[in-house]
Amino acid sequence: MLSEALTRAESLIRTIPDYPEPGVQFRDITPLLADARALRTVIHAMIAPFEGSFDVVAGVEARGFLLAGAAAMEAGAGLVPIRKAGKLPLPAASVTYALEYGTATIEAHDDIAGGSRVLLVDDVLATGGTLVAAHQLVAELGGVVVGTAVLMELTALGGREVVGDVHTVFTG
């Protein structure tokens, strides 16, 4: 059961039908991000199971950056952005993964020291492809993923079966 503070935070997430295309129910977290109390509540909930077990937070572009940055600050950890291809001047590693129609590539600089314990953070777990690729990317850079945390899991899309163990704050 969610605490009163988490229930309030979840109520700030809007569902926008048919965005960015017909049939998609987009989860808009910007009202939650704009509320300092709600943001602090969800960041605490995201990192609590991993306290003391990570050195770096890796955030997946784009909304995952926002959550990962807050998580890193709260935990006193470093932050490594995982970007879409072509957004970094010196990518050290990249992983290409399948989408429903085509492929996508994510990249990161070589800012994860070998053996660093990494908490991987994103906003939504949907089909799981991006998070699987992010796990591969961290490993390629020499880091060890000690946990994966997402704000929301869209359970109907089956991403957990693809990614494995993921800590989620909300399900939708």
Side-chain angles (χ1 to χ4, degrees):
M1 182 169 182
L2 294 178
S3 72
E4 184 177 322
L6 280 172
T7 299
R8 180 182 168 282
E10 184 177 30
S11 76
L12 297 173
I13 300 172
R14 294 186 286 223
T15 299
I16 300 174
D18 299 319
Y19 181 82
E21 58 188 59
V24 173
Q25 300 293 310
F26 183 79
R27 300 316 196 280
D28 180 13
I29 66 170
T30 56
L32 184 152
L33 295 172
D35 185 298
R37 192 173 68 187
L39 179 59
R40 179 171 282 114
T41 296
V42 298
I43 293 303
H44 281 254
M46 289 179 79
I47 66 174
F50 309 104
E51 284 186 62
S53 69
F54 61 94
D55 310 303
V56 175
V57 179
V60 181
E61 187 169 346
R63 297 185 308 173
F65 285 173
L66 304 170
L67 298 169
M73 290 290 294
E74 183 64 29
L79 173 67
V80 172
I82 296 176
R83 303 289 318 260
K84 294 175 183 171
K87 302 290 184 178
L88 293 171
L90 299 170
S94 65
V95 174
T96 299
Y97 59 101
L99 299 171
E100 188 174 350
Y101 300 104
T103 61
T105 301
I106 55 174
E107 300 175 331
H109 282 166
D110 192 10
D111 295 322
I112 298 174
S116 291
R117 302 170 303 160
V118 179
L119 176 62
L120 190 56
V121 170
D122 205 357
D123 63 327
V124 174
L125 170 58
T127 61
T130 303
L131 283 173
V132 168
H135 275 258
Q136 293 170 352
L137 188 63
V138 168
E140 190 172 318
L141 292 169
V144 177
V145 176
V146 296
T148 303
V150 297
L151 179 64
M152 176 177 283
E153 177 181 359
L154 304 178
T155 55
L157 298 178
R160 184 175 293 270
E161 288 76 34
V162 175
V163 179
D165 190 30
V166 177
H167 171 65
T168 63
V169 179
F170 306 123
T171 57

